């Protein structure tokens, strides 16, 4: 489906409205029931009486408003709308204890009007008749006045008087919590009055909780857009509104401005009160501390707000320098365009130099940054097989560097000449033609069924996202037991960490999680325990995937050449004679991640300017380097330091070193058996697809366990052919690739599962440990 098709992002927008509608329905039914027929505990004590039904509805409400706040950030909603959602989330969290259910259920009842407006929005997005939409909006207006003003104002007034009486008599459970509740109640009712005036008077281009139409909103990383699950092709446009003229118009305009300014100020006050209430609740009710003084709580709350504000402004000012892989050269992807004086961003593709600094790449700027100063042909070809090659080159030629400049340009490493592959032969290869046709035919029906583009259809499906989030939740749920020293968590937590990284982290750094590059670029930083994402781009995406098992180009052939020799390009040493011993294998596999990739490879790359002496590595700018260093320190402390402060001395070393060792075993098991076998290690072909096929090995392609535990790495051939296709699609592609290999007489290596694959890897390791040119071993 084309970029300008109005249905793009339709599912995401409808999904947001459906979730809102479901919550509205639950809230209205639950709130109405508890207000009309409260449980016995609430009848006996309207302020602090317990209600199990209300507990359920408030828990759902707290989760919903947290989700709504996240969606507001994703879709660039207004700041007041964000403040509204955060305040409501805090209200429902605090009403879970000590059961201020009366006012909580009143807030739930307010959702009756929102339910109708969400229905109206769904009807509009789904293209229903204007007649139905108008009727729903009329019903919304009537319901708004009845529920929020007719019922809400009197009940709020009575509840505020009750709370003031509690404060005056000293029987309130917490001064700051009650004051916070009163402040939120006042704010919500004030906004209800304001919105009602807008409905009556036609006030309107923008209410405090409307979608922002600011053409250049501030962004934390100065990249012009926020993360989004489905984007608007056109800026949001509010319908034309007839406005009053003359004195009435001026009065309403002044009133509108007054509300906007004071809502911000009042929201800040509520933020202070919310932090105070949260601290009071946590310290007093959860930890049993004495109540801190009001002055202490105010100072603490203001300090927290100031810190958060400072961090956000710091991120806005310096984010582009820290996250510079996302903002190469131009440092800007705003609609206003790249500055004319942006530094050039040279890359060479098929022997020609291109300046991509002014190219608004659909795949995002990170992918462009990987090509900077390199021969990017292999990267370019391996990620653009869904688009006609002639069309691709016609787009690329717009950015071709003039010959007078190109003659003096060089890659960072003279060895990076792009000469390994014959791209003309690749284009003419019947296998290439069939593979590209097969991929398009495979994803086109799915794209049409879901109403999305073919490119979107290649990314993670909703079912895959559910699995990813579930695995993340399982990992984080295991952390309390892990940090408390539970023995089962010693095994479960690092195993879950591996499964999470294998099933999402790896895909994200291959740009295959989402069509939104921000999702792919930022989510891997949540789980950086395998490698720094920026280092992984160099090792895995630029080096290994482009030049699999190619001597002096694939960095994975030379991680520990002093101890292990897996390729003829590695000079034989006497130490290699016993490299197949279980002691040697266990040593290498144990330190590969924790000491190797995370520390030694990182230090070497940043000091020598190359990754494992084969992949040119661009030096980081100062701000980026400092941020990277802080990240490495955090990694080191989160693995090796904390146990010495939290666990007994005899137990600390076990929890400091065994988890990353176990994690490293899982990584090595799922990575070494895919390429380092007798059949794959030294295979090569100058046609890209053929080379990727013959240098990889599949295992357990019919096993759900192999697929899940390896994160799809068991289908290594398909992954190397289609790195930017999410691995959830590989099982369906695997059979088709195998059939094409048989058709074109290309060797397709696959084994039954982990055991057979491991045996073949050990056999190769044993053979490579024998001294070359010894009797019977001329290699």
């Amino acid at each position: 489906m084309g970029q300008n098709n109005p249905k793009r992002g339709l599912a995401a927008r409808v999904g947001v409205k459906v979730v809102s509608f479901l919550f509205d329905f639950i809230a209205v039914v639950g709130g109405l029931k508890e207000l009309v027929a409260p449980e016995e505990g609430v009848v006996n004590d309207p302020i602090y009486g317990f209600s199990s039904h209300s507990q359920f509805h408030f828990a759902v409400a707290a989760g919903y408003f947290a989700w709504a706040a996240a969606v507001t950030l994703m879709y660039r909603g207004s700041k007041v709308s964000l403040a509204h959602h955060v305040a409501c989330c805090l209200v429902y969290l605090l009403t879970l204890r000590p059961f201020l259910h009366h006012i909580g259920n009143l807030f739930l009842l307010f959702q009756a009007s929102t339910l109708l407006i969400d229905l109206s929005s769904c009807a509009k997005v789904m293209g229903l008749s204007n007649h139905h939409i108008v009727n729903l909006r009329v019903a919304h207006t009537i319901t708004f006045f009845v529920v929020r003003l007719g019922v809400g104002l009197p009940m709020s007034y009575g509840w505020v008087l009750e709370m003031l009486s509690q404060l005056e008599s000293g029987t309130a459970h917490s001064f700051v919590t009650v004051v916070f509740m009163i402040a939120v109640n006042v704010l919500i009712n004030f906004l209800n009055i304001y919105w009602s005036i807008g409905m009556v008077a036609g006030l309107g281009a923008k209410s405090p909780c409307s979608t922002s139409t600011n053409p250049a909103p501030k962004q934390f990383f100065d990249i012009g857009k926020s993360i989004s699950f489905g984007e608007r092709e056109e800026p949001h446009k509010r319908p034309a509104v007839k406005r009053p003229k003359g004195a009435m118009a001026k009065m309403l305009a002044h009133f509108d401005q007054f509300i906007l300014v004071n809502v911000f100020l009042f929201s800040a006050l509520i933020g202070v009160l919310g932090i105070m209430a949260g601290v009071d609740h946590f310290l007093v009710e959860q930890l049993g501390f004495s109540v801190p003084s009001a002055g202490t709580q105010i100072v603490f709350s203001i300090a927290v707000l100031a810190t958060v504000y400072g961090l956000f402004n710091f991120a806005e000012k310096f984010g582009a320098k820290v996250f510079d892989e996302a903002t190469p050269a131009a440092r800007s992807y705003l609609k206003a365009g790249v500055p004319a004086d942006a530094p050039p961003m040279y890359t060479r593709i098929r022997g020609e130099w291109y300046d991509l600094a002014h190219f608004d790449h659909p795949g995002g700027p990170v992918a462009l940054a990987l090509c900077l100063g390199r021969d990017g042909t292999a990267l370019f070809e391996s990620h653009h097989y869904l688009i006609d090659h002639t069309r691709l080159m016609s787009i690329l030629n717009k950015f071709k560097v003039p010959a007078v400049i190109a003659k003096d340009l060089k890659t960072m490493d003279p060895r990076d000449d792009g000469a390994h592959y014959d791209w003309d032969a690749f284009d003419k290869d019947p296998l290439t033609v069939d593979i590209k046709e097969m991929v398009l035919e495979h994803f086109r029906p799915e794209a049409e069924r879901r109403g999305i583009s073919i490119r979107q259809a290649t990314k993670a499906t909703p079912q895959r996202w559910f699995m990813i989030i579930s695995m993340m939740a399982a990992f984080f749920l295991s952390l309390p037991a892990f940090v408390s020293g539970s023995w089962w968590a010693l095994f479960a937590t690092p195993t879950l960490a591996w499964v999470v990284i294998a099933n999402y982290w790896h895909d994200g750094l291959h740009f295959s999680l989402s069509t939104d590059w921000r999702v792919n670029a930022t989510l891997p930083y949540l789980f950086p325990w395998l490698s720094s994402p920026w280092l992984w781009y160099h090792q895995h995406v630029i080096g290994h995937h482009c030049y699999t098992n190619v001597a002096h180009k694939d960095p994975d052939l030379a991680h520990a050449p002093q101890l292990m020799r897996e390729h003829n390009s590695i000079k034989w040493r006497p130490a290699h004679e016993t490299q197949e011993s279980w002691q040697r294998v266990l040593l290498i596999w144990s330190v590969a991640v924790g000491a190797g990739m995370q520390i030694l490879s990182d230090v070497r790359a940043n000091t020598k300017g190359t990754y494992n002496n084969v992949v040119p590595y661009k030096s980081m700018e100062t701000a980026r380097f400092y941020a990277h260093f802080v990240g490495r320190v955090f990694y080191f402390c989160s693995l090796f330091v904390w146990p010495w402060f939290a666990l007994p001395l005899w137990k600390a070393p076990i929890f400091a070193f065994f988890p990353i060792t176990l994690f490293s075993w899982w990584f090595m098991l799922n990575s070494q058996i895919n390429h380092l076998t007798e059949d794959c290690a030294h295979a090569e072909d100058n046609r890209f697809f053929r080379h990727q096929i013959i240098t990889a090995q599949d295992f357990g392609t019919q096993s759900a366990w192999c697929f899940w535990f390896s994160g799809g790495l068991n289908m290594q051939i398909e992954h190397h052919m289609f790195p930017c296709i999410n691995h959830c699609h590989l099982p369906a592609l695997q059979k088709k690739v195998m059939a094409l290999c048989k058709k074109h007489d290309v060797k397709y290596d696959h084994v039954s599962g982990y055991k057979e694959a491991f045996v073949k890897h050990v056999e190769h390791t044993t053979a490579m440990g024998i001294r070359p040119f010894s009797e019977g071993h001329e290699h």
Side-chain angles (χ1 to χ4, degrees):
M1 188 171 290
Q3 288 286 325
N4 298 319
N5 193 297
K7 289 187 178 181
R8 292 190 74 235
L10 176 65
R13 297 199 297 273
V14 172
V16 168
K17 292 301 179 183
V18 168
V19 171
S20 298
F21 170 76
L22 290 175
F23 166 70
D24 294 337
F25 181 79
I26 294 172
V28 171
V29 172
L32 187 62
K33 186 264 180 187
E34 293 303 315
L35 286 174
V36 174
E39 293 184 58
E40 183 178 354
V42 178
V43 173
N44 295 333
D45 185 353
I47 303 299
Y48 295 116
F50 175 76
S51 166
S52 59
H53 289 105
S54 293
Q55 288 284 83
F56 167 76
H57 292 115
F58 293 166
V60 171
Y64 166 77
F65 282 110
W67 171 84
V71 170
T72 301
L73 283 173
M74 292 173 184
Y75 285 99
R76 292 186 288 174
S78 72
K79 294 179 180 178
V80 178
S81 181
L82 179 62
H84 167 268
H85 298 325
V86 172
C88 288
C89 180
L90 281 171
V91 164
Y92 289 111
L93 284 175
L94 291 171
T95 50
L96 290 174
R97 287 190 55 145
F99 323 125
L100 294 174
H101 287 170
H102 186 60
I103 193 62
N105 282 300
L106 174 61
F107 280 139
L108 286 180
L109 192 61
F110 284 175
Q111 296 301 124
S113 61
T114 311
L115 185 150
L116 291 167
I117 201 67
D118 284 336
L119 272 178
S120 172
S121 298
C122 281
K124 184 176 181 180
V125 170
M126 295 172 66
L128 298 184
S129 67
N130 191 56
H131 173 72
H132 293 96
I133 297 173
V134 170
N135 287 340
L136 286 169
R137 291 191 177 276
V138 170
H140 160 259
T141 302
I142 296 172
T143 306
F144 184 95
F145 278 90
V146 171
V147 174
R148 298 199 176 220
L149 300 184
V151 177
L153 286 178
M155 289 189 68
S156 295
Y157 176 75
W159 180 82
V160 169
L161 291 180
E162 290 176 350
M163 287 294 97
L164 291 175
S165 174
Q166 293 277 330
L167 293 175
E168 186 177 4
S169 63
T171 55
H173 69 285
S174 166
F175 176 83
V176 290
T177 300
V178 170
V179 172
F180 169 74
M181 293 292 188
I182 293 174
V184 173
N185 184 277
V186 171
L187 174 64
I188 297 298
N189 282 291
F190 191 75
L191 289 174
N192 287 338
I193 295 172
Y194 169 63
W195 289 326
S196 65
I197 294 174
M199 292 177 190
V200 173
L203 182 64
K206 185 178 176 184
S207 69
C209 290
S210 65
T211 302
S212 174
T213 56
N214 185 353
K218 279 190 175 183
Q219 298 299 318
F220 303 146
F221 295 110
D222 194 25
I223 52 180
K225 293 181 181 179
S226 58
I227 296 174
S228 172
F229 298 98
E231 301 176 357
R232 291 185 184 277
E233 296 303 324
E234 305 252 341
H236 175 71
K237 296 180 181 179
R238 296 181 61 85
V241 179
K242 291 184 178 180
R243 309 186 186 199
K245 299 180 180 180
M248 176 62 74
K250 291 182 179 180
M251 183 185 74
L252 290 174
H254 286 304
F255 178 67
D256 192 33
Q257 187 62 32
F258 172 81
I259 294 297
L260 288 172
V261 172
N262 285 280
V263 160
F264 279 117
L265 295 176
F266 200 68
S267 296
L269 173 62
I270 286 179
V272 173
L273 290 171
I275 295 172
M276 291 168 63
V279 170
D280 182 69
H281 175 81
F282 182 72
L283 292 179
V284 178
E285 298 188 27
Q286 300 298 325
L287 300 183
F289 286 94
S290 59
V291 180
S293 66
T296 301
Q297 293 184 58
I298 290 173
V299 171
F300 177 79
S301 302
I302 293 175
V304 171
L305 282 175
T307 302
V308 172
Y309 180 80
L311 288 174
F312 271 66
N313 278 273
F314 182 84
E316 287 182 340
K317 187 174 182 180
F318 298 105
K321 295 183 178 180
V322 173
F323 197 52
D324 60 351
E325 68 260 41
T327 51
R331 303 300 176 91
S332 174
Y333 265 70
L334 301 175
K335 288 185 178 180
V338 177
D341 59 347
M345 184 179 170
Y346 295 128
T347 187
R348 187 172 62 192
I349 297 175
R350 295 203 174 200
E352 298 288 349
W353 284 94
Y354 300 90
D355 180 3
L356 303 179
H358 292 77
F359 179 36
D360 189 359
H361 185 226
V366 174
L368 294 186
L370 303 187
C371 297
L372 181 60
R374 309 177 192 278
D375 186 285
T377 311
L379 278 169
F380 173 78
E381 295 291 346
S382 63
H383 289 79
H384 293 94
Y385 40 78
L386 295 175
I387 307 174
D388 178 72
H389 193 265
T390 303
R391 180 187 169 201
L392 270 177
M393 298 310 296
S394 67
I395 296 172
L396 202 57
N397 284 335
K398 298 176 182 178
F399 305 94
K400 191 173 181 179
V401 176
V404 66
I405 298 176
K407 66 182 179 64
D408 297 322
L409 297 178
K410 297 179 181 179
T411 58
M412 287 189 286
D413 186 340
R415 296 176 297 175
D416 183 21
D417 54 9
H420 181 75
Y421 296 112
D422 184 337
W423 295 107
D424 289 333
F426 168 77
D427 291 337
K428 298 173 183 176
D429 186 358
L431 177 65
T432 300
V433 176
D434 282 354
I435 285 174
K436 290 185 176 182
E437 289 181 357
M438 179 272 290
V439 173
L440 287 172
E441 290 174 1
H442 178 84
F443 285 105
R444 186 177 288 114
E446 176 67 8
E448 292 175 352
R449 183 185 70 82
R450 295 172 57 192
I452 57 178
S453 67
I454 292 178
R455 178 167 164 256
Q456 286 174 312
T458 65
K459 308 308 179 185
T461 61
Q463 295 85 349
R464 171 57 47 176
W465 277 110
F466 177 78
M467 179 177 288
I468 290 171
I469 294 170
S470 298
M471 289 187 290
M472 286 183 176
F475 169 79
F476 285 114
L477 287 173
S478 75
L479 283 181
F482 179 69
V483 298
S484 66
S486 296
W487 292 111
W488 68 266
L490 180 66
F491 295 88
T493 299
T495 300
L496 286 170
W498 159 251
V499 170
V500 171
I501 284 177
N503 281 278
Y504 105 91
W505 190 90
H506 178 237
D507 281 334
L509 294 174
H510 274 298
F511 321 109
S512 66
L513 272 182
S514 170
T515 53
D516 191 324
W517 68 267
R518 299 161 193 82
V519 176
N520 297 321
T522 56
L523 284 186
Y525 284 90
L526 292 178
F527 285 79
W529 296 302
L530 176 58
S531 167
S532 156
W534 187 231
L535 266 293
W536 184 258
Y537 283 131
H538 287 77
Q539 172 198 341
H540 191 70
V541 180
I542 299 173
H544 171 67
H545 259 261
C546 290
Y547 300 103
T548 311
N549 289 353
V550 176
H552 310 298
K553 285 182 177 292
D554 184 352
D556 287 354
L557 299 178
H559 277 298
Q562 300 83 1
L563 298 175
M564 296 292 286
R565 180 175 183 262
E566 301 283 8
H567 194 268
N568 286 340
S569 61
I570 303 300
K571 180 182 177 181
W572 185 88
R573 294 174 171 85
H576 295 147
E577 284 185 323
T578 57
Q579 68 178 12
E580 78 280 6
S581 67
W582 70 265
Q583 297 96 330
R584 180 73 58 81
V585 172
L586 186 64
L587 171 64
I588 297 297
W589 283 32
S590 297
V591 302
V593 173
M597 292 170 59
Q598 285 282 16
I599 299 176
L600 295 179
S601 294
D602 197 308
V603 171
R604 286 201 302 260
N606 281 287
T607 54
K608 299 177 67 175
T610 63
Y611 193 98
N612 280 2
N613 297 318
V614 297
V615 178
Y617 181 82
K618 183 178 179 294
S619 299
M620 296 180 179
E621 294 188 10
T622 303
R624 180 70 171 95
F625 177 78
Y626 286 146
H628 180 78
F629 178 77
V630 170
R632 298 297 86 202
V633 171
F634 171 78
Y635 159 80
F636 186 82
C637 294
S638 68
L639 288 182
F640 305 116
V641 176
W642 72 267
W644 303 96
F645 296 92
L647 301 173
L649 188 60
W650 66 270
K651 204 174 189 179
I654 300 174
F655 275 78
F657 298 107
F658 181 75
I660 190 60
T661 299
L662 181 61
F663 178 92
S664 186
W665 292 347
W666 298 145
F667 167 71
M668 294 295 284
L669 174 64
N670 286 282
S671 60
Q672 302 305 292
I673 61 179
N674 295 321
H675 300 287
L676 301 178
T677 67
E678 181 181 357
D679 295 325
C680 301
H682 300 101
E684 63 177 272
D685 196 292
N686 64 359
R687 291 160 292 184
F688 183 78
F689 277 144
R690 291 177 183 262
H691 181 85
Q692 298 299 332
I693 293 169
I694 64 177
T695 55
Q697 171 184 268
D698 282 6
F699 66 92
T701 56
Q702 304 304 311
S703 168
W705 161 254
C706 291
F707 181 71
W708 177 76
F709 191 68
S710 70
L713 295 179
N714 66 318
M715 299 184 187
Q716 192 71 191
I717 293 174
E718 292 72 28
H719 169 58
H720 267 253
M721 295 174 69
F722 317 118
C724 58
I725 291 179
N726 190 270
H727 79 265
C728 66
H729 302 290
L730 297 186
L733 292 171
Q734 185 265 335
K735 297 180 180 63
K736 298 180 179 181
V737 170
M738 183 184 287
L740 286 177
C741 288
K742 184 177 181 180
K743 174 183 175 182
H744 293 279
D745 195 26
V746 179
K747 193 173 187 299
Y748 186 98
D749 289 310
H750 62 103
V751 293
S752 60
Y754 275 110
K755 181 179 178 180
E756 187 178 352
F758 181 72
V759 169
K760 290 191 68 174
H761 169 65
V762 172
E763 289 174 351
H764 170 72
T765 301
T766 302
M768 293 304 299
I770 299 173
R771 183 171 184 170
F773 307 111
S774 58
E775 186 176 352
H777 298 280
E778 291 75 23
H779 64 269

